[in-house]
Amino acid sequence: MTQNAEACLEACVSCIEAFNTCFCRCLKEQAHHDLSGCIRLDRECADMCELAVKAMQTDSPFMKQICALCADVCEACGTECQKHDHDHCQACARSCFACADECRKMQRMVLIQNHPLH
């Protein structure tokens, strides 16, 4: 596995941990109905990051598309979490944006590797 893939894989795993923490803590907040968008995106992101991890581990032919979608979902979740003042939401947002960045790097690396002149 390449260095970019390792970094992306680690970012996805860290992100899954942050999502799960944020998800659980949001549900415990008194006004958790106000956090419904955050809670939903936490679950979506965890699922996407798990798929991205599997794609990288199995060298999926769809890795470029999966990493691109994972980055999009992570950015959406990070943007939503950033709106909330809770520490767990802010930590999740930081993790989301870091994961999105690594997924974009991975996507670019796959594009370069699959380029006909490479």
Side-chain angles (χ1 to χ4, degrees):
M1 192 173 285
T2 67
Q3 187 176 1
N4 281 349
E6 283 290 333
C8 189
L9 199 135
E10 288 175 19
C12 285
V13 170
S14 292
C15 216
I16 291 167
E17 292 171 5
F19 299 139
N20 288 331
T21 299
C22 188
F23 175 81
C24 290
R25 290 191 180 160
C26 281
L27 287 175
K28 292 178 182 177
E29 296 290 342
Q30 279 196 335
H32 67 271
H33 58 279
D34 293 337
L35 298 167
S36 62
C38 186
I39 292 167
R40 179 185 174 105
L41 282 170
D42 284 340
R43 292 300 343 131
E44 298 260 346
C45 277
D47 291 344
M48 270 313 307
C49 284
E50 287 173 7
L51 180 60
V53 165
K54 288 176 189 175
M56 286 180 274
Q57 290 174 332
T58 61
D59 197 25
S60 169
F62 301 100
M63 194 172 1
K64 176 183 70 106
Q65 296 91 337
I66 291 169
C67 286
L69 182 57
C70 187
D72 291 345
V73 174
C74 284
E75 286 172 359
C77 187
T79 299
E80 178 61 32
C81 285
Q82 209 172 34
K83 295 176 185 176
H84 307 287
D85 292 331
H86 308 289
D87 289 341
H88 54 86
C89 290
Q90 293 301 310
C92 188
R94 287 188 298 275
S95 187
C96 286
F97 293 132
C99 188
D101 184 50
E102 289 300 330
C103 282
R104 295 272 183 237
K105 288 178 188 173
M106 188 65 189
Q107 176 192 9
R108 287 191 296 273
M109 187 191 77
V110 172
L111 280 172
I112 291 168
Q113 285 179 343
N114 292 334
H115 192 276
L117 296 178
H118 197 272

Coordinates of all heavy atoms in Angstrom, one line a residue, residues 16-113:
I16 N -14.1 7.8 11.3 CA -15.1 6.9 11.8 C -15.2 7.0 13.3 O -16.3 7.1 13.8 CB -14.8 5.4 11.3 CG1 -15.0 5.3 9.8 CG2 -15.8 4.5 12.1 CD1 -14.4 4.0 9.3
E17 N -14.1 7.1 14.0 CA -14.1 7.2 15.4 C -14.8 8.5 15.8 O -15.6 8.6 16.8 CB -12.7 7.1 16.0 CG -12.1 5.7 15.8 CD -10.6 5.6 16.2 OE1 -10.1 6.7 16.7 OE2 -10.1 4.6 16.0
A18 N -14.4 9.6 15.1 CA -15.0 10.9 15.5 C -16.5 11.0 15.2 O -17.2 11.5 16.0 CB -14.2 12.0 14.6
F19 N -16.9 10.4 14.1 CA -18.3 10.3 13.7 C -19.1 9.6 14.8 O -20.1 10.0 15.3 CB -18.6 9.6 12.4 CG -18.0 10.2 11.2 CD1 -17.4 9.4 10.2 CD2 -18.0 11.6 11.0 CE1 -16.8 10.0 9.1 CE2 -17.4 12.1 9.9 CZ -16.8 11.3 8.9
N20 N -18.6 8.4 15.2 CA -19.3 7.6 16.2 C -19.4 8.3 17.5 O -20.4 8.3 18.2 CB -18.6 6.2 16.3 CG -18.9 5.4 15.1 OD1 -19.9 5.5 14.5 ND2 -18.0 4.5 14.8
T21 N -18.3 9.0 17.9 CA -18.3 9.8 19.2 C -19.4 10.9 19.1 O -20.2 11.1 19.9 CB -16.9 10.4 19.5 OG1 -16.0 9.3 19.7 CG2 -17.0 11.2 20.7
C22 N -19.3 11.7 18.0 CA -20.2 12.8 17.7 C -21.7 12.3 17.7 O -22.6 12.8 18.4 CB -19.9 13.5 16.4 SG -20.8 15.0 16.2
F23 N -21.9 11.2 17.0 CA -23.2 10.6 16.9 C -23.8 10.3 18.3 O -24.9 10.7 18.6 CB -23.1 9.3 16.0 CG -24.4 8.5 15.9 CD1 -25.4 8.9 15.0 CD2 -24.6 7.4 16.7 CE1 -26.6 8.2 14.9 CE2 -25.8 6.7 16.6 CZ -26.8 7.1 15.7
C24 N -23.0 9.6 19.0 CA -23.5 9.1 20.4 C -23.7 10.3 21.3 O -24.7 10.4 22.0 CB -22.5 8.2 21.0 SG -22.5 6.6 20.2
R25 N -22.8 11.3 21.3 CA -22.9 12.5 22.2 C -24.1 13.4 21.7 O -24.7 14.0 22.5 CB -21.6 13.2 22.3 CG -20.6 12.4 23.0 CD -19.4 13.2 23.4 NE -18.5 12.3 24.1 CZ -17.2 12.6 24.3 NH1 -16.7 13.7 23.7 NH2 -16.4 11.8 25.0
C26 N -24.3 13.5 20.4 CA -25.4 14.3 19.9 C -26.7 13.7 20.4 O -27.6 14.5 20.8 CB -25.4 14.4 18.4 SG -24.2 15.6 17.7
L27 N -26.8 12.4 20.4 CA -28.1 11.8 20.9 C -28.3 12.0 22.3 O -29.5 12.0 22.8 CB -28.0 10.3 20.6 CG -28.2 9.9 19.1 CD1 -28.0 8.4 19.0 CD2 -29.6 10.3 18.6
K28 N -27.3 12.3 23.1 CA -27.4 12.5 24.5 C -27.7 14.0 24.9 O -28.0 14.3 26.0 CB -26.2 12.1 25.3 CG -26.0 10.6 25.2 CD -24.7 10.1 25.9 CE -24.6 8.6 25.8 NZ -23.3 8.2 26.4
E29 N -27.5 14.9 23.9 CA -27.8 16.3 24.1 C -29.3 16.5 24.3 O -30.1 15.9 23.7 CB -27.3 17.2 22.9 CG -25.8 17.1 22.7 CD -25.0 17.8 23.7 OE1 -25.5 18.7 24.5 OE2 -23.8 17.6 23.8
Q30 N -29.6 17.4 25.2 CA -31.0 17.7 25.5 C -31.8 18.1 24.3 O -32.9 17.7 24.1 CB -31.2 18.8 26.6 CG -31.0 18.2 28.0 CD -31.5 19.2 29.0 OE1 -31.6 20.4 28.8 NE2 -31.9 18.7 30.2
A31 N -31.2 18.9 23.5 CA -31.9 19.4 22.2 C -31.4 18.6 21.0 O -31.1 19.2 20.0 CB -31.7 20.9 22.1
H32 N -31.3 17.3 21.2 CA -30.8 16.5 20.1 C -31.6 16.6 18.8 O -31.0 16.3 17.7 CB -30.5 15.0 20.5 CG -31.8 14.2 20.7 ND1 -32.4 14.2 21.9 CD2 -32.5 13.5 19.9 CE1 -33.5 13.4 21.8 NE2 -33.6 13.0 20.6
H33 N -32.8 16.9 18.9 CA -33.6 17.1 17.6 C -33.0 18.3 16.8 O -33.1 18.3 15.6 CB -35.1 17.4 17.9 CG -35.4 18.5 18.8 ND1 -35.2 18.5 20.2 CD2 -35.7 19.8 18.5 CE1 -35.5 19.6 20.7 NE2 -35.8 20.5 19.7
D34 N -32.4 19.2 17.5 CA -31.7 20.3 16.7 C -30.4 19.9 16.0 O -29.9 20.5 15.2 CB -31.3 21.5 17.7 CG -32.5 22.2 18.2 OD1 -33.6 22.1 17.6 OD2 -32.4 22.8 19.3
L35 N -30.0 18.7 16.4 CA -28.8 18.1 15.9 C -29.0 17.0 14.9 O -28.1 16.2 14.5 CB -27.9 17.6 17.0 CG -27.4 18.6 18.0 CD1 -26.8 17.9 19.2 CD2 -26.4 19.6 17.4
S36 N -30.3 16.9 14.4 CA -30.7 15.8 13.5 C -29.9 15.7 12.3 O -29.5 14.7 11.8 CB -32.2 15.8 13.2 OG -32.5 17.0 12.6
G37 N -29.5 16.9 11.7 CA -28.7 16.9 10.5 C -27.3 16.4 10.7 O -26.7 15.6 9.9
C38 N -26.8 16.8 11.9 CA -25.4 16.3 12.3 C -25.4 14.8 12.5 O -24.6 14.1 12.0 CB -25.0 17.1 13.5 SG -23.4 16.8 14.1
I39 N -26.5 14.3 13.2 CA -26.6 12.9 13.5 C -26.7 12.1 12.2 O -26.0 11.1 12.1 CB -27.8 12.7 14.5 CG1 -27.5 13.3 15.8 CG2 -28.1 11.2 14.6 CD1 -28.7 13.4 16.7
R40 N -27.5 12.5 11.3 CA -27.7 11.8 10.1 C -26.4 11.8 9.3 O -26.0 10.7 8.8 CB -28.8 12.4 9.3 CG -29.0 11.7 7.9 CD -30.0 12.4 7.1 NE -30.1 11.8 5.8 CZ -31.0 11.0 5.4 NH1 -32.0 10.7 6.2 NH2 -31.0 10.4 4.2
L41 N -25.7 12.9 9.2 CA -24.5 13.0 8.4 C -23.4 12.2 9.1 O -22.5 11.6 8.4 CB -24.1 14.4 8.1 CG -24.9 15.1 7.0 CD1 -24.6 16.5 6.9 CD2 -24.5 14.4 5.6
D42 N -23.4 12.1 10.4 CA -22.4 11.3 11.1 C -22.5 9.8 10.6 O -21.5 9.2 10.3 CB -22.6 11.3 12.6 CG -22.1 12.6 13.2 OD1 -21.2 13.3 12.6 OD2 -22.5 12.9 14.4
R43 N -23.7 9.3 10.5 CA -23.9 8.0 10.1 C -23.5 7.8 8.7 O -22.9 6.8 8.3 CB -25.4 7.5 10.3 CG -25.8 7.4 11.7 CD -25.1 6.4 12.6 NE -24.3 5.4 12.0 CZ -23.1 5.1 12.4 NH1 -22.5 5.7 13.3 NH2 -22.4 4.1 11.8
E44 N -23.9 8.7 7.8 CA -23.6 8.6 6.4 C -22.1 8.6 6.2 O -21.5 7.8 5.4 CB -24.2 9.8 5.6 CG -25.7 9.9 5.6 CD -26.3 9.4 4.4 OE1 -25.6 9.2 3.4 OE2 -27.5 9.2 4.4
C45 N -21.4 9.5 6.9 CA -19.9 9.6 6.8 C -19.3 8.3 7.3 O -18.3 7.8 6.7 CB -19.4 10.8 7.6 SG -19.5 12.3 6.7
A46 N -19.7 7.8 8.4 CA -19.1 6.5 8.9 C -19.3 5.4 7.9 O -18.3 4.7 7.6 CB -19.8 6.1 10.3
D47 N -20.4 5.3 7.3 CA -20.6 4.3 6.3 C -19.7 4.5 5.1 O -19.2 3.6 4.5 CB -22.1 4.3 5.8 CG -23.1 3.8 6.9 OD1 -22.6 3.2 7.9 OD2 -24.3 4.0 6.7
M48 N -19.6 5.8 4.6 CA -18.8 6.1 3.4 C -17.3 5.8 3.8 O -16.6 5.3 2.9 CB -18.9 7.5 3.0 CG -20.0 7.8 2.0 SD -20.1 6.7 0.6 CE -18.5 6.7 -0.1
C49 N -16.9 6.2 4.9 CA -15.5 6.0 5.3 C -15.2 4.5 5.4 O -14.1 4.0 5.0 CB -15.1 6.7 6.6 SG -14.9 8.5 6.4
E50 N -16.1 3.7 5.9 CA -15.9 2.3 6.0 C -15.8 1.7 4.6 O -15.0 0.8 4.3 CB -17.1 1.6 6.7 CG -17.0 1.9 8.2 CD -18.2 1.4 9.0 OE1 -19.1 0.7 8.4 OE2 -18.3 1.6 10.2
L51 N -16.6 2.2 3.6 CA -16.6 1.7 2.3 C -15.2 2.1 1.6 O -14.6 1.3 0.9 CB -17.7 2.3 1.4 CG -17.7 1.9 0.0 CD1 -17.8 0.4 -0.2 CD2 -18.9 2.6 -0.7
A52 N -14.8 3.3 1.9 CA -13.5 3.8 1.4 C -12.3 2.9 1.9 O -11.4 2.5 1.1 CB -13.2 5.2 1.7
V53 N -12.4 2.6 3.2 CA -11.3 1.7 3.8 C -11.3 0.4 3.1 O -10.3 -0.1 2.7 CB -11.6 1.6 5.3 CG1 -10.7 0.4 5.9 CG2 -11.2 2.8 6.0
K54 N -12.5 -0.2 2.9 CA -12.6 -1.5 2.2 C -12.1 -1.4 0.8 O -11.4 -2.3 0.3 CB -14.0 -2.0 2.2 CG -14.5 -2.5 3.5 CD -16.0 -2.9 3.5 CE -16.5 -3.2 4.9 NZ -17.9 -3.4 4.9
A55 N -12.4 -0.3 0.1 CA -12.0 -0.1 -1.3 C -10.5 -0.1 -1.4 O -9.8 -0.7 -2.3 CB -12.6 1.1 -1.9
M56 N -9.8 0.6 -0.4 CA -8.4 0.8 -0.4 C -7.7 -0.6 -0.1 O -6.7 -1.0 -0.7 CB -7.9 1.9 0.5 CG -8.2 3.3 0.0 SD -7.6 4.5 1.1 CE -9.1 4.7 2.1
Q57 N -8.3 -1.3 0.9 CA -7.7 -2.6 1.3 C -7.8 -3.6 0.2 O -6.9 -4.5 0.1 CB -8.4 -3.1 2.6 CG -8.1 -2.2 3.8 CD -8.9 -2.7 5.0 OE1 -10.0 -3.2 4.9 NE2 -8.4 -2.4 6.2
T58 N -8.8 -3.5 -0.6 CA -9.0 -4.5 -1.7 C -8.6 -4.0 -3.1 O -8.8 -4.8 -4.0 CB -10.5 -5.0 -1.7 OG1 -11.3 -3.9 -2.1 CG2 -10.9 -5.6 -0.4
D59 N -8.0 -2.8 -3.1 CA -7.6 -2.2 -4.4 C -8.7 -2.2 -5.4 O -8.6 -2.7 -6.5 CB -6.4 -2.9 -4.9 CG -5.6 -2.1 -6.0 OD1 -5.8 -0.9 -5.9 OD2 -5.0 -2.7 -6.8
S60 N -9.9 -1.8 -4.9 CA -11.1 -1.8 -5.8 C -10.9 -1.0 -7.0 O -10.2 0.1 -7.0 CB -12.2 -1.1 -5.0 OG -13.3 -0.9 -5.8
P61 N -11.4 -1.4 -8.2 CA -11.3 -0.7 -9.4 C -12.2 0.6 -9.3 O -12.1 1.5 -10.2 CB -11.8 -1.6 -10.5 CG -12.6 -2.6 -9.7 CD -12.1 -2.7 -8.4
F62 N -13.0 0.7 -8.3 CA -13.8 1.9 -8.1 C -13.3 2.9 -7.0 O -14.0 3.8 -6.6 CB -15.3 1.5 -7.8 CG -15.9 0.6 -8.8 CD1 -16.0 -0.7 -8.7 CD2 -16.4 1.2 -10.0 CE1 -16.5 -1.5 -9.7 CE2 -16.9 0.4 -11.0 CZ -17.0 -1.0 -10.8
M63 N -12.1 2.7 -6.6 CA -11.5 3.4 -5.6 C -11.5 4.9 -5.8 O -11.8 5.7 -4.9 CB -10.0 3.0 -5.3 CG -9.5 3.5 -4.0 SD -7.9 2.9 -3.5 CE -7.4 1.8 -4.8
K64 N -11.2 5.3 -7.0 CA -11.2 6.8 -7.4 C -12.6 7.4 -7.1 O -12.7 8.4 -6.5 CB -10.9 7.0 -8.9 CG -10.9 8.4 -9.3 CD -10.6 8.5 -10.8 CE -11.7 8.0 -11.7 NZ -12.6 8.8 -12.4
Q65 N -13.7 6.7 -7.6 CA -15.0 7.2 -7.4 C -15.4 7.2 -5.9 O -16.1 8.1 -5.4 CB -16.0 6.4 -8.2 CG -15.8 6.6 -9.7 CD -14.9 5.5 -10.3 OE1 -14.0 4.9 -9.6 NE2 -15.0 5.3 -11.6
I66 N -15.1 6.1 -5.2 CA -15.4 5.9 -3.8 C -14.7 7.0 -3.0 O -15.4 7.6 -2.1 CB -15.1 4.5 -3.3 CG1 -16.0 3.5 -4.0 CG2 -15.2 4.5 -1.8 CD1 -15.6 2.1 -3.8
C67 N -13.5 7.3 -3.3 CA -12.7 8.3 -2.5 C -13.3 9.7 -2.8 O -13.4 10.5 -1.9 CB -11.2 8.2 -2.8 SG -10.4 6.8 -2.0
A68 N -13.7 9.9 -4.0 CA -14.3 11.2 -4.4 C -15.6 11.4 -3.6 O -15.9 12.5 -3.1 CB -14.5 11.3 -5.9
L69 N -16.4 10.4 -3.6 CA -17.7 10.5 -2.9 C -17.5 10.6 -1.4 O -18.2 11.4 -0.7 CB -18.6 9.3 -3.2 CG -20.0 9.3 -2.6 CD1 -20.8 10.5 -3.0 CD2 -20.7 8.0 -3.0
C70 N -16.5 9.9 -0.9 CA -16.2 9.9 0.5 C -15.8 11.4 0.9 O -16.3 11.9 1.9 CB -15.1 8.9 0.9 SG -14.8 8.8 2.7
A71 N -15.0 12.0 0.1 CA -14.6 13.4 0.3 C -15.8 14.3 0.3 O -15.9 15.2 1.2 CB -13.5 13.8 -0.7
D72 N -16.7 14.1 -0.6 CA -17.9 15.0 -0.7 C -18.7 14.8 0.6 O -19.2 15.8 1.2 CB -18.7 14.6 -1.9 CG -18.1 15.0 -3.2 OD1 -17.1 15.8 -3.2 OD2 -18.5 14.5 -4.3
V73 N -18.9 13.6 1.0 CA -19.8 13.3 2.2 C -19.1 13.9 3.4 O -19.7 14.5 4.3 CB -20.1 11.8 2.3 CG1 -20.8 11.5 3.6 CG2 -20.9 11.3 1.2
C74 N -17.8 13.7 3.5 CA -17.0 14.2 4.7 C -17.1 15.7 4.7 O -17.2 16.3 5.8 CB -15.6 13.8 4.6 SG -15.3 12.0 5.1
E75 N -17.0 16.4 3.6 CA -17.1 17.8 3.6 C -18.5 18.3 4.0 O -18.6 19.3 4.8 CB -16.7 18.4 2.2 CG -15.3 18.3 1.9 CD -14.9 18.6 0.4 OE1 -15.8 18.9 -0.4 OE2 -13.7 18.6 0.1
A76 N -19.5 17.6 3.6 CA -20.9 18.0 4.0 C -21.0 17.8 5.5 O -21.6 18.6 6.2 CB -21.9 17.1 3.2
C77 N -20.5 16.7 6.0 CA -20.6 16.4 7.4 C -19.8 17.5 8.2 O -20.3 18.0 9.2 CB -20.1 15.0 7.8 SG -20.4 14.5 9.5
G78 N -18.6 17.8 7.8 CA -17.8 18.8 8.4 C -18.5 20.1 8.5 O -18.4 20.8 9.5
T79 N -19.1 20.5 7.4 CA -19.8 21.8 7.3 C -21.0 21.8 8.3 O -21.2 22.8 9.0 CB -20.3 22.0 5.9 OG1 -19.1 22.1 5.0 CG2 -21.0 23.3 5.7
E80 N -21.7 20.7 8.4 CA -22.8 20.6 9.3 C -22.3 20.6 10.8 O -22.8 21.4 11.6 CB -23.7 19.4 9.1 CG -24.8 19.2 10.0 CD -25.8 20.3 10.0 OE1 -26.1 20.9 8.9 OE2 -26.4 20.6 11.0
C81 N -21.3 19.8 11.1 CA -20.8 19.7 12.4 C -20.2 21.1 12.9 O -20.4 21.4 14.1 CB -19.8 18.6 12.6 SG -20.5 17.0 12.6
Q82 N -19.6 21.8 12.0 CA -19.0 23.1 12.3 C -20.0 24.1 12.8 O -19.7 25.0 13.5 CB -18.3 23.6 11.0 CG -17.1 24.4 11.2 CD -16.4 24.7 9.9 OE1 -17.0 24.8 8.9 NE2 -15.1 24.8 10.0
K83 N -21.3 23.9 12.4 CA -22.3 24.9 12.8 C -22.7 24.8 14.3 O -23.3 25.7 14.9 CB -23.6 24.6 12.0 CG -23.5 24.8 10.6 CD -24.8 24.4 9.9 CE -24.7 24.5 8.4 NZ -26.0 24.0 7.7
H84 N -22.3 23.7 15.0 CA -22.6 23.4 16.4 C -21.5 23.7 17.3 O -20.3 23.3 17.0 CB -23.2 22.0 16.5 CG -24.3 21.7 15.5 ND1 -25.5 22.2 15.6 CD2 -24.3 20.9 14.4 CE1 -26.3 21.8 14.6 NE2 -25.5 21.0 13.8
D85 N -21.7 24.2 18.4 CA -20.7 24.6 19.4 C -20.1 23.5 20.2 O -19.2 23.7 20.9 CB -21.2 25.7 20.3 CG -21.4 27.0 19.6 OD1 -20.7 27.3 18.5 OD2 -22.3 27.8 20.0
H86 N -20.8 22.4 20.2 CA -20.3 21.2 21.1 C -18.9 20.8 20.7 O -18.6 20.8 19.5 CB -21.3 20.0 20.9 CG -22.7 20.4 21.1 ND1 -23.2 20.7 22.4 CD2 -23.8 20.5 20.3 CE1 -24.5 21.0 22.3 NE2 -24.9 20.9 21.0
D87 N -18.1 20.5 21.7 CA -16.7 20.1 21.4 C -16.7 18.8 20.5 O -15.9 18.8 19.6 CB -16.0 19.7 22.7 CG -15.7 21.0 23.5 OD1 -15.7 22.1 23.0 OD2 -15.5 20.8 24.8
H88 N -17.6 17.9 20.7 CA -17.6 16.7 19.9 C -17.9 17.0 18.4 O -17.4 16.4 17.5 CB -18.5 15.6 20.4 CG -19.9 16.0 20.7 ND1 -20.9 16.0 19.7 CD2 -20.5 16.5 21.8 CE1 -22.0 16.5 20.2 NE2 -21.9 16.8 21.5
C89 N -18.8 18.0 18.2 CA -19.1 18.4 16.8 C -17.9 19.1 16.2 O -17.6 18.9 15.0 CB -20.3 19.3 16.8 SG -21.9 18.5 17.2
Q90 N -17.2 19.9 16.9 CA -16.1 20.6 16.4 C -14.9 19.7 16.1 O -14.3 19.8 15.0 CB -15.6 21.7 17.3 CG -16.6 22.9 17.5 CD -16.9 23.6 16.2 OE1 -16.0 24.0 15.5 NE2 -18.2 23.8 15.9
A91 N -14.7 18.7 17.0 CA -13.7 17.7 16.7 C -14.1 16.8 15.5 O -13.2 16.5 14.7 CB -13.6 16.8 17.9
C92 N -15.4 16.5 15.3 CA -15.8 15.8 14.2 C -15.6 16.6 12.9 O -15.1 16.0 11.9 CB -17.3 15.4 14.4 SG -17.9 14.3 13.1
A93 N -15.9 17.8 12.9 CA -15.7 18.7 11.8 C -14.2 18.7 11.3 O -13.9 18.5 10.1 CB -16.2 20.1 12.0
R94 N -13.3 18.8 12.3 CA -11.9 18.8 12.0 C -11.5 17.5 11.3 O -10.8 17.5 10.3 CB -11.0 19.1 13.2 CG -11.1 20.5 13.7 CD -10.1 20.8 14.8 NE -10.3 20.0 16.0 CZ -11.2 20.4 17.0 NH1 -11.9 21.5 16.9 NH2 -11.3 19.6 18.0
S95 N -12.0 16.4 11.9 CA -11.7 15.1 11.4 C -12.2 14.9 10.0 O -11.6 14.3 9.1 CB -12.2 14.0 12.3 OG -11.8 12.8 11.9
C96 N -13.5 15.4 9.8 CA -14.1 15.3 8.4 C -13.3 16.0 7.4 O -13.1 15.5 6.3 CB -15.5 16.0 8.5 SG -16.7 15.1 9.4
F97 N -12.9 17.3 7.7 CA -12.1 18.0 6.7 C -10.7 17.4 6.4 O -10.3 17.4 5.3 CB -12.0 19.5 7.1 CG -13.3 20.2 7.1 CD1 -13.7 21.0 8.2 CD2 -14.2 20.1 6.1 CE1 -14.9 21.7 8.2 CE2 -15.4 20.8 6.1 CZ -15.7 21.6 7.2
A98 N -10.1 16.8 7.4 CA -8.8 16.1 7.2 C -9.0 14.9 6.4 O -8.2 14.6 5.5 CB -8.2 15.8 8.6
C99 N -10.1 14.2 6.6 CA -10.4 13.0 5.8 C -10.7 13.3 4.4 O -10.2 12.7 3.5 CB -11.5 12.2 6.5 SG -11.8 10.6 5.7
A100 N -11.5 14.4 4.2 CA -11.8 14.8 2.8 C -10.6 15.2 2.1 O -10.4 14.8 0.9 CB -12.8 16.0 2.9
D101 N -9.6 15.8 2.7 CA -8.4 16.2 2.1 C -7.6 15.0 1.7 O -7.1 14.9 0.6 CB -7.6 17.1 3.1 CG -6.3 17.6 2.4 OD1 -6.4 18.2 1.3 OD2 -5.2 17.5 3.1
E102 N -7.5 14.0 2.6 CA -6.7 12.8 2.3 C -7.4 12.0 1.1 O -6.8 11.4 0.3 CB -6.6 11.9 3.5 CG -5.6 12.5 4.5 CD -4.2 12.7 4.0 OE1 -3.7 11.9 3.1 OE2 -3.5 13.6 4.4
C103 N -8.8 12.0 1.2 CA -9.5 11.3 0.1 C -9.3 11.9 -1.2 O -9.2 11.2 -2.3 CB -11.0 11.2 0.4 SG -11.4 9.9 1.7
R104 N -9.2 13.3 -1.3 CA -9.0 14.0 -2.5 C -7.6 13.6 -3.0 O -7.3 13.4 -4.2 CB -9.1 15.5 -2.3 CG -10.5 15.9 -2.0 CD -11.3 16.2 -3.2 NE -12.6 16.7 -2.8 CZ -13.8 16.1 -3.1 NH1 -13.8 15.1 -3.9 NH2 -14.9 16.6 -2.7
K105 N -6.6 13.6 -2.1 CA -5.2 13.2 -2.5 C -5.2 11.8 -3.1 O -4.5 11.5 -4.1 CB -4.3 13.3 -1.3 CG -4.0 14.7 -0.8 CD -3.1 14.6 0.4 CE -2.9 16.0 1.0 NZ -2.1 15.9 2.3
M106 N -5.9 10.9 -2.4 CA -6.0 9.5 -2.9 C -6.6 9.4 -4.3 O -6.2 8.7 -5.2 CB -6.8 8.7 -1.9 CG -6.8 7.2 -2.1 SD -5.1 6.5 -2.0 CE -5.4 4.9 -2.6
Q107 N -7.7 10.2 -4.5 CA -8.4 10.2 -5.8 C -7.4 10.7 -6.9 O -7.4 10.1 -7.9 CB -9.6 11.2 -5.7 CG -10.3 11.3 -7.0 CD -11.3 12.5 -6.9 OE1 -11.4 13.3 -6.0 NE2 -12.1 12.6 -8.0
R108 N -6.7 11.8 -6.6 CA -5.7 12.3 -7.6 C -4.6 11.2 -7.8 O -4.2 11.1 -9.0 CB -5.1 13.6 -7.1 CG -6.0 14.8 -7.2 CD -5.3 16.1 -6.9 NE -4.8 16.2 -5.6 CZ -5.4 16.7 -4.5 NH1 -6.7 17.0 -4.7 NH2 -4.8 16.8 -3.4
M109 N -4.2 10.5 -6.8 CA -3.1 9.5 -7.0 C -3.6 8.4 -7.9 O -2.9 7.9 -8.8 CB -2.7 8.9 -5.7 CG -1.5 8.0 -5.8 SD -1.2 7.1 -4.3 CE -2.4 5.8 -4.4
V110 N -4.9 7.9 -7.7 CA -5.5 6.9 -8.5 C -5.6 7.4 -9.9 O -5.3 6.6 -10.9 CB -6.8 6.4 -7.9 CG1 -7.5 5.5 -8.9 CG2 -6.6 5.8 -6.6
L111 N -6.0 8.6 -10.1 CA -6.1 9.2 -11.5 C -4.7 9.2 -12.2 O -4.6 8.8 -13.4 CB -6.6 10.6 -11.4 CG -8.1 10.8 -11.3 CD1 -8.4 12.3 -11.0 CD2 -8.8 10.3 -12.5
I112 N -3.7 9.5 -11.5 CA -2.3 9.6 -12.1 C -1.9 8.1 -12.4 O -1.3 7.9 -13.5 CB -1.3 10.2 -11.1 CG1 -1.6 11.7 -11.0 CG2 0.1 10.0 -11.5 CD1 -0.9 12.5 -9.9
Q113 N -2.1 7.2 -11.5 CA -1.7 5.8 -11.7 C -2.4 5.2 -12.9 O -1.9 4.4 -13.6 CB -2.0 5.0 -10.5 CG -1.0 5.2 -9.4 CD -1.3 4.4 -8.1 OE1 -2.4 3.8 -8.0 NE2 -0.3 4.3 -7.3

